[in-house]
Amino acid sequence: MVRKLMVDSSICTGCQYCEIICSLHHSKAGEVNPKKARIKIVSDILHGKDKPVVCRQCQQPVCLAACKFKAIYIDTKLGIALVDTARCTGCGTCVESCPFGAMFFDPVENVALKCDLCGGEPQCVRFCRTFPHTGYPALAYVEPRQWATRKQGTVRPGEPYHDTD
Amino acid sequence: MEGYAGRIGRVNLSNRSCSIEPLNYEDARLFYGGRGLGAKMLFDELQPGVDPLSPGNKIILMTGPLTGTPVTAANRYVIITKSPQTGLFLDSYAGGWFGPELKFAGFDALVIEGVSPHPVYLLVEDNRLSIRPAGHLWGKRAYETETAIKKELGDEDTRVAVIGPAGENLANLAIVQNDYFHQAGRGGAGAVFGSKRLKGIAVKGTGGIKINNPARLVAYLAGPVENKFSGTGGGLLGSVADRMKYGTPFTLNITNAIGILPTRNFFYGQYDRAEEINAEAFRRKVVVADKSCYACSMACTKFSRARTGPYKGAEVGGPEYETNALFGANIDNPSLEAIVYLNRLCDDLGLDTVGAGNVVGFTMECYARGLITSNDLGFTLNFGDVAAVAELLEMMAYRKGLGDILAQGVRTAARYFGQNSETFAMHIKGLEYPAYRPGPVSPGFGLAYAIAERGACHRRAWPALAEQQLPPFSTAGRAQLVKMLYDQRIPWHCGVNCDIGVQVPGLGFAEAAEMYSAVTGREVTPADMQLLADRVATICRCFNLREGATRKDDTLAPRSFMPEEIGPGKGKSLSKDMLDTMLDEYYALRGWDREGVPTGETLVKLSLDAVAEKMAQLGFKPARGINQGIKGEEYRGAQINGR
């Protein structure tokens, strides 16, 4: 079974370490720039809500189907869609097509930005903090089945955790 | 050097000119950034004796070489200016995302000078600065203003710092608020914004920050730094796990146990209803979610909501320990829901919850003693009366009635009320005490307060727990401890990192040096960090000396010398002799003379030759009396009447 990034928005603190580390990892110039990350925290600071938006690594990628320039292809090693930046024209069609809003765009380089799972070792997951009182990080690189088990289990032992809207 | 944006934006609001200057890398090598570099710029650029609310004062909004990088909690900016509250050096910090965004927009710092003829806000966009009209925002409260600016610019991701009505009305207790829940709270930076008719600053940046050696930095963060988080932590601020779970309100359990929790205007050091507002109660009753600033693993911003009672529905990012203590124990209010409400109200009005909580406690004591009556206020003001407190806060922000006096802080209020009220006006150099009560059980906190250059401040050194390891009711080891704790924060104040985010896991000089080196590419050592700390402490001292502060100002409020009524220190007191002993020792450790003036050798040793020259020109003597805000009245009057 394919492993992918799974998200628990209810315990995301909005620290942006995922975006920070993602942008640095993928930067050839050694730059931190969260706006070039392939993961995005959508924040509603005023109401205390943060939602990490991650690529779902679809089995039949909508972005791939949408690309008219064959710039998106299936990588054989991980079995996920990747962007061939040499072919990418920066038209943005894939960004518009993604039903999850998880395809991003680099306006400076004029290319689409897609999560490549860092070749199988997602750096965002590495830096997503597990808090002792919640017991889980907001991001994990797991099989969806494992995630489902976690959701049904004793997610946050001990402490009641309020997110009651 | 990497890490820096390399540019400083300079804005003169008097003639509406904006310019971009290169960063002075020579200064950046000596002072790093943030508090250090800002102090150097303020010392160089400000005319001695300038009135804090006059066009001659400047707002120096600094980031540092670490701001916006992946370095632990490198999310802050600092406003360096001359404080209207103390007339002395002010560095006021805030977290959130505003600081990193300024770097992404291509600036290490903004210097704002002059005064605009009409309300404006500043827009910073990728290497561009522009001044925009803010007449339509003037008068709006803080939360509404931030939302309005974001809407106007059509970009939700814009980072905005604003002032509320308190800042517009030049209240000494006025804050600058950014990203809704983050405040540069202390010392009246908001009033300096207001005096320049600067409603706020909006920042949008799409650029990146270059890291010299990303692999080295990431490996260090994932290795040694991570181990500090997963271990037991530094221990000096409590365990990592407790701080992650309870945030700063965990402190209330500590201070109440030690006997330094301010209760009923600092009269007592323990609160008999502390269990209703302590860390566990806080988490159980009001916390909704754990929230972080940029690049922080502590998540100490606890998003809270009043779920029951008359204030049901009130939400805030916080409250922090200071707010829980000062709007809780200090005004004898055991309701966390009410604290959430008052915190939100203070933010919205643009008032510092620390200063305001202290002033409210003072006013309640004046009322209880009959110094003021309901005729003066228009309502009764008994301890614990939350509705009356809300009324009083509104009066302060809008400078109505007695609020006009109270908004200037507890020092001014005590002068106005007279009748010995100064004996229980809890301030140092004009800045209100935060929520620690120096006394016989914590002489070290007395020293930490007394030597803090911005007035009574808990963020120079935090000896609350460490001091408990030293001989009790004694001055032994306090000077060394306070200097060590003070110095350890300076690399982070120059970074600019958050104290909680780095101090709780116990990141010190070694970690600072390694991460500075990895980010900037300039190899520095822990010894360099010590030198930086001494240099920054000394230049801040020189600024204050130049403004007329002397050893006499390094003291405590009279109440701090009274014998304890209850608690572990019952019957004992912190004497003035004890404070003098600690001051002597502390000055000596710093290489300052008995009057607290840095010696010529110290200045030269710290590469502060230019500062030494300027100090020599002034004869190393106080140039003028400490600014009491009296001249400020002219400007206050003129501004308020002129609108």
Side-chain angles (χ1 to χ4, degrees), chain B residues 59 77 156 183 190 198 389 425 440 523-524 548 557 571 606:
Chain B
I59 298 163
Y77 68 92
E156 279 291 304
Q183 292 87 13
L198 179 65
V389 173
E523 287 300 321
V524 290
L606 298 173

Side-chain angles (χ1 to χ4, degrees), chain B residues 239-309:
Chain B
S239 83
V240 171
D242 282 336
R243 289 293 177 182
M244 283 175 169
K245 187 170 176 183
Y246 302 110
T248 59
F250 181 69
T251 302
L252 200 134
N253 298 18
I254 301 171
T255 52
N256 192 52
I258 299 172
I260 59 172
L261 172 67
T263 304
R264 291 181 84 97
N265 193 32
F266 290 80
F267 191 77
Y268 302 112
Q270 284 180 325
Y271 187 37
D272 52 3
R273 299 180 74 173
E275 75 279 2
E276 293 174 58
I277 56 167
N278 70 7
E280 292 78 16
F282 171 67
R283 181 97 206 170
R284 190 175 63 245
K285 289 183 186 167
V286 295
V287 173
V288 175
D290 306 299
K291 292 295 155 196
S292 289
C293 300
Y294 180 94
C296 177
S297 297
M298 293 309 303
C300 81
T301 306
K302 303 302 175 194
F303 186 81
S304 300
R305 182 183 304 139
R307 292 199 199 90
T308 55

Side-chain angles (χ1 to χ4, degrees), chain A residues 41-104:
Chain A
I41 311 264
V42 177
S43 296
D44 178 359
I45 303 173
L46 204 45
H47 299 99
K49 295 196 186 307
D50 292 286
K51 187 180 183 325
V53 175
V54 301
C55 175
R56 301 283 155 176
Q57 313 295 1
C58 307
Q59 295 286 302
Q60 291 174 318
V62 182
C63 53
L64 186 147
C67 183
K68 302 206 173 0
F69 303 95
K70 296 195 165 56
I72 299 179
Y73 63 99
I74 297 288
D75 173 67
T76 46
K77 186 179 151 229
L78 286 168
I80 61 170
L82 295 182
V83 176
D84 179 353
T85 50
R87 282 172 172 257
C88 178
T89 64
C91 70
T93 310
C94 56
V95 178
E96 290 160 15
S97 76
C98 177
F100 305 103
M103 196 81 179
F104 305 103

